[in-house]
Amino acid sequence: DIQMTQSPSLLSASVGDRVTLSCKASQNIYKYLNWYQQKLGEAPKLLIYYTNSLQTGIPSRFSGSGSGTDYTLTISSLQPEDVATYFCQQYNSWPFTFGSGTKLEIK
Amino acid sequence: QVQLQQSGAELTKPGSSVKISCKASGYTFTSYDISWIKQRPGQALEWIGAINPGSGGTGYNEKFKGKATLTVDKSSSTAFMQLSSLTPEDTAVYYCARRIIGFDYWGQGVMVTVSS
């Protein structure tokens, strides 16, 4: 199985900050990488698919990049409503696997 | 609008089985795979498997073979997951999710608690 490692596990930042979350795959996943946001008590929400494509309805402050084994999710200007846990997920091969998440807090 | 409505919370005993449902609406049910995903408290998401509602074809994470069985009822646009031989390690929230590229629509989740 492909292992997905996210860092940091906890991130505290101020409103308006540019925030970068990292996700590393145990092997090349050829950009087959999605990002999800999960708020407390809710189901995850798809933010970014295929590394850098913004899902419909998601604010443009969210963006994704990467290739090979290394991927990032960037929030250009952190908003209070962005407090959540963020997961990456690879779909290069079965079984689909998720990272353990980055919990994002407001400082 | 697309919705996946899951059944209610379950409290079950070790060794028993449970069957949870996921009713789809707002789109053509047979056009997209449905996956099932497990989330234990404070832990990462685990993909259990997927079913093609049109063909009934399934694919499972090896870890969940023998534990989960996925089925659908096309007449009611409902997907089902049966979990068998339950242990406390099966205590979790279980989500169904529609997959195109990413999992773009999710059910609200079902809390399954296994306790004697």
Side-chain angles (χ1 to χ4, degrees):
Chain A
D1 298 1
I2 297 175
Q3 306 303 313
M4 306 300 292
T5 303
Q6 289 187 245
S7 61
S9 56
L10 176 64
L11 180 58
S12 185
S14 300
V15 172
D17 282 354
R18 181 180 182 88
V19 171
T20 299
L21 285 63
S22 295
C23 176
K24 186 175 182 68
S26 59
Q27 63 191 71
N28 191 340
I29 57 171
Y30 304 98
K31 295 190 174 184
Y32 294 116
L33 189 283
N34 302 320
W35 288 95
Y36 300 85
Q37 175 194 66
Q38 186 177 32
K39 296 184 178 181
L40 198 62
E42 299 182 3
K45 177 194 292 185
L46 178 65
L47 299 177
I48 302 281
Y49 60 93
Y50 192 57
T51 294
N52 57 15
S53 295
L54 195 66
Q55 175 70 355
T56 302
I58 301 302
S60 58
R61 65 180 179 273
F62 291 92
S63 64
S65 63
S67 63
T69 61
D70 295 309
Y71 298 84
T72 59
L73 173 70
T74 300
I75 306 173
S76 60
S77 178
L78 185 65
Q79 300 302 303
E81 60 266 32
D82 299 335
V83 169
T85 299
Y86 293 82
F87 296 97
C88 59
Q89 175 243 328
Q90 68 81 20
Y91 60 105
N92 177 68
S93 61
W94 284 25
F96 303 138
T97 48
F98 294 83
S100 55
T102 292
K103 186 175 183 180
L104 181 57
E105 298 180 339
I106 299 290
K107 198 180 292 184
Chain B
Q1 72 281 22
V2 174
Q3 287 190 326
L4 298 175
Q5 182 65 39
Q6 296 187 242
S7 48
E10 300 274 0
L11 174 59
T12 62
K13 295 190 182 303
S16 66
S17 296
V18 68
K19 190 172 186 177
I20 59 181
S21 66
C22 171
K23 183 173 175 59
S25 60
Y27 73 99
T28 302
F29 179 60
T30 52
S31 295
Y32 305 101
D33 287 358
I34 294 285
S35 278
W36 290 86
I37 294 151
K38 177 182 181 181
Q39 187 171 37
R40 298 190 70 185
Q43 297 199 18
L45 301 154
E46 291 185 278
W47 180 75
I48 296 170
I51 187 164
N52 180 315
S55 66
T58 55
Y60 293 91
N61 185 336
E62 283 290 332
K63 179 178 179 179
F64 292 95
K65 282 185 177 178
K67 170 63 66 178
T69 303
L70 307 184
T71 56
V72 295
D73 175 8
K74 286 191 283 188
S75 68
S76 63
S77 298
T78 303
F80 300 92
M81 178 174 67
Q82 179 161 326
L83 298 170
S84 61
S85 303
L86 290 166
T87 73
E89 287 66 45
D90 296 315
T91 294
V93 175
Y94 293 87
Y95 294 101
C96 61
R98 187 182 83 163
R99 178 177 171 259
I100 300 179
I101 296 176
F103 299 113
D104 63 342
Y105 286 93
W106 295 63
Q108 81 274 22
V110 175
M111 182 70 213
V112 174
T113 304
V114 183
S115 174
S116 54

